[in-house]
Amino acid sequence: MADFTGFPLAGLDFYEDLEADNSKTFWTAHKKVWEESVRDPMKALVAELEADFGAAKIFRPYRDVRFSKDKTPYKNHQGAVVHTSESCGWYVQIGAGGLFVAAGLYTASPAQKAALRTAIDDEVRGAELERILGQLSSSGYTIGGDKLKTKPKGYSLDHPRIDLLRHQSLTAGREFGAPDWLTTPKAAKHVRAAWEEMRPLIEWLAAVTAQK
């Protein structure tokens, strides 16, 4: 495996062009650009981070269009995830807009959702999560995740953490865009630092939602 040297801007340009022409003809003609400027750098990046965070899964570039009205065949970004527990882990993505990093609980099972709400409802655990999310938000991360439009069953609208209780998934993410360091080996240091900043969230989520 070659060392990580950064994400070439050609990869961002590739995705910008793909958004205009998401076709097999375009993909076939430019596949080598994707391989050299997107796939291979992503492989090298997650290999460099593996010792500290674990092995990553690099997602396929093809969309699952079986149940979608949108039949465009290719994803408009390349992502990779490191799972720390079921449905929980770190994420990194490159696309036309540049670099994006995230971490959290994604496709949670019913049991995990219930465990998440129980922990949020708990005075000690809930306060811990509020502190973690507050620190991340102050550091420039956006708190996200799928949420119920109303309150979950069994909880009052005047609950002090009702907004958190609405979460069915819970993530923190940060858009880096395309800074000068993106095309250099320093990009790995920035992803590493971001993932470390989000480690308290990952550890909290893993502790409260781990499948017994």
Side-chain angles (χ1 to χ4, degrees):
M1 173 65 68
D3 291 339
F4 177 71
T5 58
F7 284 105
L9 293 181
L12 279 62
D13 293 339
F14 167 83
Y15 279 114
E16 186 173 347
D17 292 338
L18 182 66
E19 289 178 358
D21 182 9
N22 195 317
S23 67
K24 189 176 189 301
T25 299
F26 174 86
W27 182 271
T28 301
H30 299 84
K31 186 177 180 181
K32 188 173 180 63
V33 177
W34 172 77
E35 291 173 342
E36 295 178 348
S37 299
V38 177
R39 184 198 63 185
D40 293 350
M42 183 64 78
K43 285 183 176 180
L45 171 65
V46 296
E48 184 168 326
L49 299 175
E50 183 173 345
D52 293 326
F53 300 97
K57 172 188 175 182
I58 297 178
F59 292 105
R60 288 161 53 86
Y62 314 106
R63 296 182 63 250
D64 184 351
V65 300
R66 290 174 299 172
F67 308 108
S68 175
K69 292 181 180 179
D70 179 2
K71 299 301 182 182
T72 51
Y74 304 102
K75 297 176 182 176
N76 63 2
H77 60 270
Q78 176 64 62
V81 63
V82 176
H83 285 115
T84 58
S85 60
E86 184 69 27
S87 302
C88 191
W90 285 285
Y91 181 74
V92 59
Q93 173 183 299
I94 195 75
L99 180 69
F100 171 71
V101 296
L105 178 69
Y106 292 89
T107 310
S109 68
Q112 286 178 312
K113 293 175 187 177
L116 176 63
R117 290 191 180 119
T118 297
I120 291 171
D121 183 45
D122 182 81
E123 288 299 324
V124 175
R125 282 294 202 183
E128 287 175 349
L129 180 60
E130 285 183 310
R131 285 195 296 272
I132 291 169
L133 296 179
Q135 290 169 353
L136 288 172
S137 182
S138 296
S139 298
Y141 292 85
T142 299
I143 308 306
D146 294 330
K147 297 169 67 174
L148 295 172
K149 293 182 179 180
T150 184
K151 68 179 183 67
K153 292 181 180 178
Y155 296 97
S156 172
L157 276 172
D158 61 2
H159 192 288
R161 289 178 293 281
I162 187 62
D163 191 55
L164 284 176
L165 286 168
R166 290 191 175 101
H167 277 269
Q168 302 195 81
S169 59
L170 181 60
T171 63
R174 184 172 182 177
E175 295 277 3
F176 280 106
D180 291 342
W181 48 257
L182 184 63
T183 60
T184 76
K186 291 181 180 179
K189 296 180 180 179
H190 285 275
V191 175
R192 183 191 304 276
W195 281 5
E196 285 293 353
E197 278 191 293
M198 293 184 284
R199 190 182 287 276
L201 175 61
I202 286 291
E203 292 178 343
W204 188 94
L205 289 168
V208 304
T209 65
Q211 300 293 292
K212 305 297 188 201

